[in-house]
């Protein structure tokens, strides 16, 4: 079957598993585009990219295009939003997806998608809106799918494959937010235990 080429912006290896599988099932042939200047520190960025590349080459047999990672631009247009997550993530999606759209145009793709649509931790509607606007302004067709129901499968499969799995989205703000959430969850579990013992 002749598949339809599509440029798939990927945020990391584990989040690419299900979108690549599902898009292929739909008749697309994804080429992955990496543009993630949001990932901090640099060692973490490099580890996620290496994890993605290894899986793409050895398991999925999908090409990876490493596009621009403009960390200075991220600091300029995203970081000033600080802990305002809605504004910060919108700006972060826009920066990364604009670069992916630029690459899609440059390489002759007509369709674009993103693996950001698999994680329930992302701002799904915001991301879809940003992708749609950017794709259209670049003359591309956005392929926006709700991959979130497949997130548990992605977790299981990436564990089975022994892939590195991060526990925060990428930026320093998300690392702090995730640490706070983990502490809050631990405190809630402790409080529940104490209440059960008291009862
Ligand atoms: S939480 Fe994730 S999407 Fe939002 S700004 Fe940070 S790295 Fe970007």
């Amino acid at each position: 079957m002749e598949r339809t080429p599509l440029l798939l912006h990927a945020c990391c290896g584990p989040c690419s598993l299900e979108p690549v599988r599902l898009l292929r099932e739909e008749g697309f042939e994804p080429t992955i585009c990496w543009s993630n200047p949001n990932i901090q520190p640099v060692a973490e960025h490099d580890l996620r990219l290496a994890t993605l590349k290894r899986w793409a080459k050895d398991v999925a047999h999908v090409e990876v295009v490493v596009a621009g990672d403009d960390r200075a631009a991220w600091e300029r247009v995203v970081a000033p939003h600080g802990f305002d997550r809605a504004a910060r993530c919108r700006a972060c999606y826009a920066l990364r997806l604009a670069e992916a759209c630029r690459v899609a145009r440059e390489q002759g793709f007509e369709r674009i998608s993103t693996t950001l649509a698999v994680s329930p931790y992302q701002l799904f509607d915001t991301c879809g809106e940003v992708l749609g606007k950017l794709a259209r302004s670049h003359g591309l067709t956005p392929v926006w799918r709700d991959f979130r129901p497949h997130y548990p499968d992605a977790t299981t499969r990436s564990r089975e494959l022994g892939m590195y799995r991060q526990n925060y989205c990428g930026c320093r703000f998300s690392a702090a937010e995730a640490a706070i959430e983990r502490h809050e969850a631990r405190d809630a579990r402790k409080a529940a235990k104490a209440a059960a013992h008291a009862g």
Side-chain angles (χ1 to χ4, degrees):
M1 182 180 77
E2 185 73 11
R3 293 175 189 273
T4 308
L6 168 149
L7 194 70
L8 175 65
H9 166 264
C11 58
C12 67
C15 284
S16 301
L17 266 62
E18 289 301 296
V20 165
R21 183 181 70 76
L22 293 160
L23 288 166
R24 278 179 170 158
E25 258 180 31
E26 253 194 80
F28 294 106
E29 186 48 51
T31 293
I32 284 179
C33 176
W34 171 274
S35 176
N36 298 297
N38 54 313
I39 303 171
Q40 299 163 339
V42 173
E44 173 75 17
H45 167 279
D46 294 351
L47 176 56
R48 292 190 198 182
L49 176 56
T51 303
L52 171 72
K53 279 178 159 176
R54 202 173 310 120
W55 164 78
K57 180 170 173 281
D58 297 345
V59 182
H61 310 295
V62 56
E63 192 192 333
V64 177
V65 176
V66 178
D69 271 331
D70 191 343
R71 304 180 80 81
W74 194 93
E75 291 298 334
R76 206 170 49 244
V77 303
V78 185
H81 293 294
F83 287 98
D84 178 349
R85 193 175 166 215
R88 184 185 80 220
C89 295
R90 179 179 285 277
C92 186
Y93 298 147
L95 183 70
R96 293 187 277 165
L97 295 173
E99 173 63 2
C101 286
R102 187 193 67 73
V103 170
R105 287 292 302 189
E106 190 180 85
Q107 301 208 359
F109 287 90
E110 293 176 1
R111 291 168 183 78
I112 187 146
S113 187
T114 175
T115 63
L116 288 165
V118 78
S119 167
Y121 301 106
Q122 297 299 331
L123 306 181
F124 184 81
D125 293 336
T126 303
C127 189
E129 199 188 303
V130 170
L131 178 71
K133 271 193 195 149
L134 281 168
R136 281 185 285 275
S137 71
H138 284 78
L140 299 163
T141 301
V143 177
W144 180 244
R145 302 286 184 266
D146 187 356
F147 297 125
R148 291 174 297 178
H150 301 274
Y151 186 73
D153 293 336
T155 304
T156 308
R157 283 183 62 214
S158 55
R159 279 203 183 114
E160 284 168 0
L161 289 166
M163 292 171 94
Y164 166 68
R165 298 178 43 79
Q166 63 273 3
N167 62 4
Y168 65 102
C169 182
C171 65
R172 55 187 177 274
F173 304 104
S174 65
E177 286 161 353
I180 291 167
E181 275 166 29
R182 283 193 297 274
H183 278 287
E184 282 174 350
R186 193 196 56 198
D187 289 350
R189 280 196 303 275
K190 270 190 190 164
K193 230 186 214 172
H197 281 305

